[in-house]
Amino acid sequence: MERSIRSCDVPEATIQRLPLYLEKLKLLQAIGVEDVSSRQLAESLDIKASQLRHDFHYFGGFSRPGRPYRVAVLVTALEQIIGVDHPVPTAIVGAGHLGQALANYAGLELQGFPLRGIFDANPKLQGLEIRGQAIRDLDELEPVCRREGIKIGVITVPASSAQDVATRLVSAGVTGLMNFAPTELKVPDHVSVRHERLTVGFMALSFKVKCGEARLAGEEPDAAV
Amino acid sequence: MERSIRSCDVPEATIQRLPLYLEKLKLLQAIGVEDVSSRQLAESLDIKASQLRHDFHYFGGFSRPGRPYRVAVLVTALEQIIGVDHPVPTAIVGAGHLGQALANYAGLELQGFPLRGIFDANPKLQGLEIRGQAIRDLDELEPVCRREGIKIGVITVPASSAQDVATRLVSAGVTGLMNFAPTELKVPDHVSVRHERLTVGFMALSFKVKCGEARLAGEEPDAAV
DNA sequence: AGTCATCTGTCAAACCGCAAACAGGATAGC
DNA sequence: GCTATCCTGTTTGCGGTTTGACAGATGACT
């Protein structure tokens, strides 16, 4: 008899999987699937069914023993758990190539993260419109964030100004930061930061590629040390 | 007495950290630092020193007991371990907003992933140049990949064509795929795939933000179920 | 009705990764 | 030379995550 949503104290690993579940379930819902078993859902995501049930177990029962899950029920519940049952106003700071690409990415709004502000210090970019949002000067950062109730700030500025931007966003009431700059950020405890590192992904991939080559070639890679 | 590079069978968690070490070490090298202790390096990355030494231990000794690490030694060793001691030719398939943003990202080339091909099915984009690379038609995918020896393919096409692109890249000899499309990819065993999910990151962040709000407000979020 | 197959919720064991502790080497200062 | 300090390489214990197993419930089929 848990509370309806005992959200916190859920393992990090489970949190990471919740979005995957929601994504796949929305897809199933879109093509008209009404019921889905833990086995079916897990296999389509390449994980074990027991793990999926274990994850769901943190939030109480989504079904009854003997009955498969109802897709609609899961979608609604997961949206609420994740917090995208209501729109989460989001702002992007730094309108370079990456910032513009993210701003243009329609998926974000569809998944519940409407873009309510784009900022850049470069005057040449200011005024340019992306998906109905004009790029604003950095001076407007705090007032706009407060007015729009921005909850998540996306940092796509150079590493040198990332900490400054982060501090200003936090001071304007933003409690979630998505950091694309290659720098650690110091923020208060109540703020969550997620560091998205492109080059880390590429290098991890490179490692595995090299590893695969070595394994294929008789595990004698270069020998030139 | 390990082999010089017992690269494979390294835990996934360690692999993920190797790029962070390299990134920070390059930074130190750039500002003229020659020696660094495990404690210093670890603290700047917000991890424990014992973990850093533990990670390095998989690859044999980078120093001797009593002596701190030499930055230059570590950089060279890590570059070789990760596989970026030689350039890793990379191609981008899908020149939409995200594809173009990645193509424009100078960091990739700097980190050892020179862009040797951009492809898109849309004729209107073909011929457009990005950082010296003209966007090519998809028909040229296989020949260019073979000619340039592409090792890593970046998939930034819609989900509907991601699997097709992946199959074609693999058939052209690519053994590492960076997938930005929201779809699982089926590939042979010798190919490594890394799934970069933007919305997953946003949702994980949303969860924590909501969690923080609830905790702050007396853990009674909405109650409207 | 009865049997069988399927499914969820739940628990316990195996597994893995992290962090602290330890042993031994190197250097600086006295 | 000796001591104190700092450092790495290595091992050990602990906590979290994953995996497999089981009990109870449901519906389909005979």
Side-chain angles (χ1 to χ4, degrees), chain A residues 37-52:
Chain A
S37 74
S38 62
R39 184 180 312 254
Q40 293 169 322
L41 186 52
E43 278 180 4
S44 73
L45 288 167
D46 205 30
I47 62 173
K48 295 284 184 290
S50 57
Q51 181 167 67
L52 188 149

Side-chain angles (χ1 to χ4, degrees), chain A residues 26-208:
Chain A
K26 276 183 167 176
L27 195 85
L28 292 176
Q29 196 176 39
I31 61 177
V33 177
E34 292 190 348
D35 296 327
V36 65
S37 74
S38 62
R39 184 180 312 254
Q40 293 169 322
L41 186 52
E43 278 180 4
S44 73
L45 288 167
D46 205 30
I47 62 173
K48 295 284 184 290
S50 57
Q51 181 167 67
L52 188 149
R53 293 200 298 273
H54 196 61
D55 284 340
F56 284 0
H57 183 233
Y58 283 100
F59 307 100
F62 289 138
S63 176
R64 279 186 301 286
R67 297 293 308 148
Y69 298 110
R70 312 255 12 201
V71 174
V73 171
L74 281 182
V75 168
T76 304
L78 283 174
E79 280 182 343
Q80 192 178 359
I81 290 168
I82 294 174
V84 289
D85 50 336
H86 303 299
V88 180
T90 303
I92 295 177
V93 188
H97 293 295
L98 183 56
Q100 289 192 29
L102 288 172
N104 272 302
Y105 178 38
L108 271 191
E109 175 124 23
L110 286 175
Q111 303 290 327
F113 300 93
L115 183 61
R116 291 285 153 72
I118 317 175
F119 305 88
D120 201 291
N122 184 351
K124 288 181 185 166
L125 291 172
Q126 289 160 19
L128 178 67
E129 276 208 5
I130 302 180
R131 293 176 66 80
Q133 286 283 334
I135 298 177
R136 292 192 172 91
D137 187 71
L138 265 185
D139 291 344
E140 302 183 59
L141 186 65
E142 288 89 346
V144 171
C145 283
R146 291 187 189 284
R147 185 189 341 130
E148 300 286 340
I150 301 293
K151 290 196 176 166
I152 290 184
V154 183
I155 299 177
T156 50
V157 297
S160 52
S161 36
Q163 179 63 63
D164 180 52
V165 166
T167 306
R168 291 180 61 180
L169 281 167
V170 169
S171 78
V174 175
T175 51
L177 296 179
M178 180 75 80
N179 179 27
F180 285 88
T183 316
E184 310 293 317
L185 296 179
K186 290 195 76 79
V187 297
D189 281 346
H190 70 282
V191 178
S192 301
V193 178
R194 197 182 157 94
H195 207 155
E196 213 73 36
R197 294 172 237 238
L198 269 316
T199 57
V200 168
F202 275 85
M203 289 201 183
L205 197 53
S206 170
F207 178 89
K208 291 183 186 169

